[in-house]
Amino acid sequence: MTQAPAAPKDIRRHHDREILALAVPAFGALVAEPLFVLADSAIIGHLGTSQLAGLGVAAALLSTAVSVFVFLAYATTAAVARRVGAGDLPAAIRQGMDGIWLALLLGLAVVVVTLPTAPWVVDAFGASDTAAPYATTYLRVSSLGIPAMLVVLAATGVLRGLQDTRTPLYVAIGGFTANAALNVALVYGAGLGIAGSAWGTVIAQCGMAAVYLSVVVRGARRHGASLRPDAAGIRACAQAGVPLLIRTLSLRAVLMIATAIAARLGDVPVAAHQIILSLWSLLAFALDAIAIAGQAIIGRYLGAGDTEGARAACRRMVRWGVVSGLVLGVLVVAARPLFIPLFTSDDAVRSTLLPALLVVALSQPIAGVVFVLDGVLMGAGDGPYLAGAMVVTLAVFTPAALLIPAVGGGLTALWWAMTLMMATRMVTLWLRMRSGRWVVTGATR
């Protein structure tokens, strides 16, 4: 007797359960990671203003360096998920190991470059004479943890590809807790000052990497996958990551241009811009959690050859993105009397911030679609298109942003330009989704 096909309502519920099961833990892990810097700031802030300023410079440099290599997580998630969908777990883990080896090699290269050049980089970043020595110390010590940070990125991608976002959440929480405890012990107990905070972060990151590696190694032994470095596999991972690197660099360029324009507008606008950008980043974590679910789910469906399942999951996630964006936008407007006073008591900054903040709230449904489709196309291994689309977006945003000071626009105009940037991304990603050219089945793309 032939089993009746599932009702559309049942299919939607199935997709909803899949998305929630992956997105909720992913959101927790994404939010936990920035707490490393917050913990360092809270502890070092009691040492003095110069130390805190040094941390600010070094942390910005470190976060930029690590974010450039976020493709290690994205590309690995998609590649592993495809293998999982094809039913080949040994090959999935082998693919993940190639990403981890690439992460380790890149991390070591960054350390070799950073150690001797740290004073010059800190000086180029504009650190004051009093803050520069602290920034250099923190940067040099913390750079020793970069290989571990990149291994964590790649290993997180492996587990996401294996449809496991809970383990990264637990590791992130454990890492944050250990980091905070170590920092207190080393900064105050051992009297190491800012260097103690950096060493605490290095030890915590190495501990996180060790936990991830133990999980991956156990999986490799269970399924008979090789752990040895494979030159061809590492090279293939690097090639797959290049388009995503271009995408990331283009996005970073957008953010840097926006901050530079805000700085040209004056101290009050740039202060308000920094507050809005921090909030915008927090909202991005919530939407990125759905994108991470999209990477894992779409990769698995395409690896299994289920094109209709992939399309249906994509449609459902787009709806999730729109609804999530609407909810976040309403929350921003409703909660503004509560969180604005947390950031500033300056009336001029508040009055400048408010209209731009409303623009951010209005743009959240657009952002929801952008993050979801970005995740879908990453899961499909459509990196070259994502790179091209982001370069086009940068080309649209740059002249619009540069015109703002020339025509006498303010911070609100700048955030309308940011909304134009997101709308451009949405159009380019939507056209790709509608074309169906991203739907390529099989264990590899």
Side-chain angles (χ1 to χ4, degrees):
M1 184 175 180
T2 305
Q3 186 176 4
K9 189 174 182 180
D10 293 334
I11 294 174
R12 289 196 297 271
R13 285 177 177 172
H14 171 70
H15 288 312
D16 289 344
R17 286 194 297 269
E18 279 193 315
I19 295 166
L20 277 172
L22 292 172
V24 172
F27 174 67
L30 288 168
V31 171
E33 290 177 13
L35 293 178
F36 275 84
V37 176
L38 287 178
D40 287 358
S41 299
I43 293 167
I44 292 175
H46 292 285
L47 296 177
T49 301
S50 297
Q51 289 90 331
L52 186 58
L55 171 67
V57 171
L61 291 167
L62 283 167
S63 63
T64 299
V66 174
S67 67
V68 165
F69 297 109
V70 73
F71 71 84
L72 290 165
Y74 294 158
T76 305
T77 297
V80 171
R82 276 184 174 267
R83 298 282 190 178
V84 169
D88 192 348
L89 281 176
I93 295 173
R94 173 67 261 175
Q95 190 102 37
M97 284 304 306
D98 291 336
I100 290 172
W101 279 112
L102 175 62
L104 184 60
L105 293 174
L106 290 173
L108 292 173
V110 173
V111 173
V112 169
V113 171
T114 303
L115 287 177
T117 62
W120 178 84
V121 173
V122 166
D123 183 63
F125 205 76
S128 66
D129 291 340
T130 55
Y134 296 111
T136 300
T137 297
Y138 191 92
L139 183 60
R140 275 180 165 161
V141 175
S142 292
S143 69
L144 300 176
I146 288 179
M149 294 180 194
L150 299 191
V151 166
V152 166
L153 280 178
T156 300
V158 175
L159 295 183
R160 288 173 181 170
L162 294 171
Q163 318 296 296
D164 176 10
T165 56
R166 291 182 180 273
T167 299
L169 171 61
Y170 301 147
V171 174
I173 293 172
F176 165 71
T177 304
N179 180 62
L182 285 165
N183 281 5
V184 171
L186 295 175
V187 172
Y188 297 116
L192 296 179
I194 195 170
S197 177
W199 278 115
T201 300
V202 169
I203 295 169
Q205 291 286 353
C206 289
M208 292 171 66
V211 173
Y212 274 120
L213 289 175
S214 68
V215 173
V216 175
V217 168
R218 283 201 304 270
R221 288 175 175 168
R222 188 182 311 120
H223 297 286
S226 174
L227 297 172
R228 294 179 180 177
D230 176 63
I234 294 171
R235 188 165 54 251
C237 284
Q239 290 171 347
V242 168
L244 295 180
L245 176 61
I246 294 171
R247 167 201 167 275
T248 300
L249 290 174
S250 299
L251 182 56
R252 297 293 300 186
V254 165
L255 299 178
M256 290 175 64
I257 290 169
T259 300
I261 295 298
R264 286 175 175 268
L265 298 176
D267 289 348
V268 169
V270 76
H273 174 75
Q274 184 57 39
I275 293 171
I276 296 175
L277 192 60
S278 299
L279 177 64
W280 191 76
S281 299
L282 179 62
L283 297 172
F285 284 135
L287 297 174
D288 202 27
I290 305 174
I292 288 169
Q295 294 171 30
I297 292 170
I298 295 299
R300 192 187 76 237
Y301 275 122
L302 294 178
D306 186 355
T307 58
E308 184 50 43
R311 291 177 186 274
C314 175
R315 290 192 295 268
R316 192 62 182 168
M317 280 185 283
V318 168
R319 292 189 180 94
W320 270 76
V322 172
V323 172
S324 299
L326 286 169
V327 171
L328 290 173
V330 170
L331 285 175
V332 167
V333 174
R336 70 188 189 281
L338 299 176
F339 67 77
I340 289 178
L342 296 176
F343 289 99
T344 180
S345 58
D346 189 317
D347 289 337
V349 174
R350 290 185 182 187
S351 61
T352 302
L353 181 154
L354 188 56
L357 190 65
L358 295 177
V359 174
V360 171
L362 288 171
S363 69
Q364 286 311 293
I366 296 174
V369 175
V370 168
F371 276 85
V372 166
L373 292 181
D374 208 39
V376 166
L377 296 183
M378 282 185 191
D382 207 9
Y385 183 84
L386 288 171
M390 197 61 228
V391 170
V392 168
T393 299
L394 176 61
V396 170
F397 170 78
T398 301
L402 293 177
L403 276 174
I404 290 170
V407 300
L411 186 66
T412 302
L414 176 59
W415 277 94
W416 276 119
M418 290 288 285
T419 302
L420 170 65
M421 179 271 294
M422 293 301 287
T424 304
R425 290 185 70 190
M426 183 179 71
V427 170
T428 58
L429 298 177
W430 182 265
L431 290 174
R432 186 63 167 182
M433 188 272 287
R434 290 295 300 272
S435 74
R437 294 176 183 173
W438 58 277
V439 184
V440 179
T441 59
T444 58
R445 182 184 173 98

